[in-house]
Amino acid sequence: CVAITAVVLSRTNFGRRCYAVGGNPLASKLVGINTNKHIICVYVLCSFICGIGGIVLASFNMSVSQVTASGYEGTVLTAMVIGGINVFGGEGGISGAIFGTLFVGVINNMLILLSVPPDYQKFVQGIIIIAAIAANMQVYRRSMKLMTPKAKRRGRAAPVTEQE
């Protein structure tokens, strides 16, 4: 699933449209992308992949219950934010998702090996999420600051110079 998703997102029009609709739905609609149809298609594909993940989890646990995967939301959110995927859409990639997943897996495994109680494990995940979102916002602010003209950043108008 990871390889297929990486190829689809990086090499097809569908993947480029996914990033466009996630980044700015209004601009995508103005360009001519049917955003409602595209969003529904993405949700269907995500549901299909989640179904595959559910089958794998059920086979791993050798049992099925409606609460089998409850509590994984925080883990997934942590992996997503650490991997550089924007919570609001339009940014990120498969390599970042893989990195975030591996990082969170190592941290969770480390906490288990250190015999940290489960309540504190969730606390550590929350701290990691807050730190990752703060770092993400800092990078976003810096990138937006670099897009503004230098004189405007200093709070004064750009000097008028004659160039010959």
Side-chain angles (χ1 to χ4, degrees):
C1 285
V2 171
I4 291 170
T5 305
V7 169
V8 167
L9 286 177
S10 65
R11 308 236 184 244
T12 64
N13 286 333
F14 177 77
R16 284 190 275 288
R17 289 179 181 170
C18 283
Y19 281 111
V21 171
N24 193 342
L26 180 61
S28 302
K29 192 171 204 153
L30 292 174
V31 179
I33 298 173
N34 187 350
T35 55
N36 290 334
K37 178 182 165 186
H38 203 76
I39 289 171
I40 289 171
C41 186
V42 168
Y43 276 127
V44 167
L45 287 172
C46 286
S47 300
F48 177 73
I49 292 172
C50 286
I52 292 172
I55 291 169
V56 169
L57 183 64
S59 66
F60 180 73
N61 291 338
M62 289 193 232
S63 67
V64 178
S65 173
Q66 64 265 26
V67 293
T68 300
S70 66
Y72 283 130
E73 300 88 8
T75 306
V76 171
L77 182 65
T78 306
M80 180 182 74
V81 171
I82 288 175
I85 298 171
N86 192 345
V87 179
F88 300 109
E91 295 178 17
I94 298 298
S95 60
I98 291 171
F99 171 75
T101 304
L102 292 175
F103 183 80
V104 169
V106 167
I107 294 293
N108 286 342
N109 195 19
M110 181 182 69
L111 292 173
I112 290 169
L113 291 175
L114 292 174
S115 301
V116 176
D119 294 336
Y120 292 122
Q121 291 177 12
K122 296 295 180 186
F123 177 75
V124 170
Q125 276 186 355
I127 296 295
I128 292 172
I129 288 174
I130 291 170
I133 289 177
N136 190 5
M137 290 303 295
Q138 188 68 22
V139 169
Y140 176 75
R141 285 185 184 144
R142 278 196 185 148
S143 67
M144 293 307 292
K145 196 179 211 183
L146 291 176
M147 286 192 221
T148 60
K150 195 172 191 179
K152 190 174 181 182
R153 279 186 266 157
R154 291 185 186 143
R156 60 179 187 257
V160 179
T161 58
E162 286 187 10
Q163 294 181 357
E164 297 177 41

